[in-house]
Amino acid sequence: MPNELTRIEILAFPDVQLLDVAGPLQVFSTANEILKAEGMQAHYEITVVGKHADTLTSAGLAIATHQLPSSDDPIDTLVVAGGRGVNAAIDDDALLSWIRYRSQEARRTASVCSGAFLLAEAGLLEGRRAVTHWERCAEFAARYPSVRLEQDPIFVCDGNVWTSAGITAGIDLTLNLVEADLGRSIATAVARHLVVYLRRPGGQAQFSTALSLQGGESRFDRLHAWILENLRGDLSLSRLAEQAHMSTRSFSRRYHQATGITPARAIEKLRVEAARQMLGQFMPVSQVSRQCGFGSEETMRRAFLRSFGVTPREYRERFGTT
């Protein structure tokens, strides 16, 4: 492990999203704490920077910023936060110029949430794959057609530029940066300390399936929770209707109205999501298919091809935990 501190700069601005700054900051800081607890030297020097040395307020909390460093100051990683203030920041030519040149000096550049707008406006995402918060994907795609926007992943790495989706995805991205720098054991320790998933695969959806299926009827939200607890059980149409306290015919009609898909398709989506999580932990494919109620590996294979265009084993190779 290198002895010199690795400089991380997190860019903030008026109306920045608090967690976009605090999430990565806490991950890097916790990595330092764990290293020191194990008798090693801290690895990161983390600084929150802004256009001016100032005190910004987000969610009622004050964020102290250091003035933007000059090009002579060394830097390893630039992290650009997001938030409502992005709308004004993308019109600040001086700030965009600083991002552009500072990124050239950095080993890698990352954005959290709508911070991708700043990277794109600075020209750093031309022809690259990128992601941003799901609510702003349509706006982003229209404004930056030359960027290869992907609407589903929680983070994307293209070359030395990383972008992440909504807010907490910045923590997932930063955990992956820590793993790349310090190894899996330190990243695991950080994730455990923060009580978060370690290295959620970048291809994981921004929403859980259960969340994306939420509609206007709370009984179906409760039904989805029950299904997740009974993926290996009887999930026939009649059993689902019984659990929802409805007739089979009424259940089928009302469910489709509320979620936009059939009960059978919803069950497949819930099983696929559960299987993705297990595959990321390198559980044997045969065991995953049984645990998730597919009945056979071939049934699960067809479900993955329908959902992602890849087999379970190919999905694991792309997004599995190392």
Side-chain angles (χ1 to χ4, degrees):
M1 249 176 236
N3 292 322
E4 293 183 1
L5 289 177
T6 296
R7 182 174 174 84
I8 309 292
E9 292 175 2
I10 302 176
L11 175 65
F13 39 80
D15 289 327
V16 73
Q17 168 67 244
L18 175 63
L19 195 55
D20 287 6
V21 176
L25 176 63
Q26 188 61 65
V27 171
F28 287 126
S29 297
T30 300
N32 279 344
E33 293 168 6
I34 289 171
L35 288 170
K36 288 188 286 186
E38 295 183 2
M40 292 180 280
Q41 181 179 329
H43 185 75
Y44 298 110
E45 176 191 6
I46 315 114
T47 305
V48 179
V49 301
K51 191 170 182 181
H52 308 287
D54 200 356
T55 300
L56 307 175
T57 302
S58 179
L61 292 179
I63 302 173
T65 61
H66 297 263
Q67 188 164 4
L68 297 177
S70 70
S71 58
D72 296 331
D73 294 329
I75 180 176
D76 179 86
T77 303
L78 173 63
V79 179
V80 178
R84 292 194 309 273
V86 160
N87 296 335
I90 58 176
D91 292 328
D92 188 330
D93 290 337
L95 183 62
L96 293 173
S97 179
W98 181 87
I99 292 172
R100 189 177 302 115
Y101 289 110
R102 200 62 172 151
S103 179
Q104 292 175 358
E105 295 161 350
R107 177 168 64 96
R108 60 194 176 193
T109 300
S111 67
V112 182
C113 194
S114 56
F117 279 77
L118 284 165
L119 297 191
E121 195 70 30
L124 301 179
L125 297 180
E126 292 288 324
R128 293 185 186 269
R129 297 167 54 240
V131 67
T132 190
H133 193 285
W134 65 272
E135 287 185 322
R136 303 197 66 176
C137 280
E139 176 189 356
F140 186 97
R143 187 178 182 107
Y144 308 109
S146 62
V147 180
R148 296 158 54 195
L149 182 68
E150 299 187 9
Q151 301 193 24
D152 193 44
I154 58 172
F155 67 82
V156 165
C157 174
D158 191 327
N160 66 339
V161 179
W162 298 64
T163 52
S164 61
I167 307 174
T168 57
I171 295 175
D172 297 289
L173 184 154
T174 311
L175 281 168
N176 278 261
L177 298 182
V178 169
E179 182 172 345
D181 294 342
L182 302 174
R184 180 166 175 77
S185 63
I186 298 297
T188 300
V190 173
R192 286 175 177 168
H193 181 80
L194 299 179
V195 197
V196 297
Y197 290 107
L198 172 65
R199 198 177 181 272
R200 278 197 300 174
Q204 186 166 321
Q206 294 192 36
F207 301 111
S208 69
T209 298
L211 179 61
S212 68
L213 291 174
Q214 283 187 355
E217 295 201 39
S218 60
R219 74 174 76 189
F220 294 148
D221 298 341
R222 293 192 296 270
L223 177 65
H224 296 144
W226 178 83
I227 291 172
L228 289 171
E229 295 176 354
N230 295 273
L231 289 175
R232 299 179 64 181
D234 175 13
L235 297 180
S236 62
L237 186 61
S238 59
R239 182 70 183 93
L240 296 177
E242 177 186 350
Q243 185 65 26
H245 305 291
M246 302 172 70
S247 69
T248 302
R249 182 175 180 180
S250 179
F251 170 74
S252 294
R253 176 175 54 82
R254 295 275 293 276
Y255 187 89
H256 191 276
Q257 289 175 345
T259 66
I261 61 176
T262 65
R265 178 60 178 148
I267 290 170
E268 179 176 285
K269 287 170 68 71
L270 289 166
R271 282 176 167 153
V272 164
E273 180 175 272
R276 289 201 303 179
Q277 295 175 4
M278 294 181 189
L279 287 168
Q281 300 168 11
F282 277 85
M283 184 181 292
V285 174
S286 59
Q287 184 178 350
V288 171
S289 65
R290 290 194 302 271
Q291 292 280 6
C292 296
F294 284 104
S296 69
E297 289 186 43
E298 179 57 28
T299 300
M300 185 170 76
R301 180 178 178 277
R302 291 197 298 268
F304 265 70
L305 287 170
R306 279 191 294 271
S307 297
F308 311 119
V310 297
T311 67
R313 285 184 170 82
E314 289 170 336
Y315 181 90
R316 168 177 285 167
E317 290 173 1
R318 295 187 187 186
F319 303 120
T321 308
T322 57

